[in-house]
């Protein structure tokens, strides 16, 4: 199962996120749930790096599928929109494949 935590502060502002695990929906290299989550997460990270000046730290481990992002300071409206889009996509996947992905919003 892929477990995803979206970190927000008490004002509802994104502070980062963490994705951990593999879906187990299909064979390695053919798992459509893992692929969908990976595309959303990696595209969000790449888009924030390319289209904003917001700072973030990214940690990644391939063996357990972990990727973690922490924002350094305030984020722009563009980053907020990119994060909103990622969360929307992850919720859509979760609605369809509930056994394979768990998405939680956590206050930090």
């Amino acid at each position: 199962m892929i477990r995803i935590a979206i970190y927000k502060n008490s004002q509802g502002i994104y502070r980062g996120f963490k994705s951990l695990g593999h879906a187990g929906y299909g064979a390695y290299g053919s798992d459509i749930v893992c692929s969908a989550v990976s595309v959303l997460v990696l595209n969000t990270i790449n888009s924030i790096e390319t289209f904003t000046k917001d700072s973030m730290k990214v940690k990644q481990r391939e063996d357990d599928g972990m990727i973690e992002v922490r924002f350094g300071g305030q984020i722009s409206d563009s980053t907020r929109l990119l994060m909103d889009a990622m969360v929307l996509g992850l919720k859509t996947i979760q609605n369809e494949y509930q056994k394979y992905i768990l998405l939680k919003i956590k206050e930090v």
Side-chain angles (χ1 to χ4, degrees), residues 1-102:
M1 175 178 272
I2 300 172
R3 290 173 176 78
I4 303 169
I6 306 296
Y7 305 125
K8 290 184 169 188
N9 66 16
S10 59
Q11 289 82 40
I13 297 170
Y14 290 107
R15 302 308 311 139
F17 63 91
K18 182 177 184 177
S19 177
L20 178 64
H22 297 286
Y25 178 80
Y28 180 80
S30 300
D31 190 323
I32 61 170
V33 177
C34 259
S35 294
V37 170
S38 294
V39 166
L40 283 170
V41 167
L42 293 175
N43 189 65
T44 300
I45 292 167
N46 291 337
S47 295
I48 292 168
E49 286 178 339
T50 301
F51 300 122
T52 79
K53 293 182 179 174
D54 295 337
S55 67
M56 63 181 165
K57 287 188 177 185
V58 180
K59 293 182 189 176
Q60 190 172 356
R61 286 192 312 258
E62 199 166 314
D63 59 333
D64 62 355
M66 191 279 292
I67 189 158
E68 183 174 27
V69 171
R70 294 292 182 148
F71 297 118
Q74 288 294 98
I75 62 169
S76 63
D77 288 342
S78 296
T79 293
R80 181 193 51 74
L81 180 61
L82 290 166
M83 288 294 297
D84 285 345
M86 182 185 77
V87 170
L88 175 65
L90 292 170
K91 284 179 179 179
T92 301
I93 296 168
Q94 180 178 248
N95 288 341
E96 186 70 26
Y97 299 97
Q98 295 173 10
K99 282 178 40 180
Y100 304 97
I101 178 173
L102 177 64

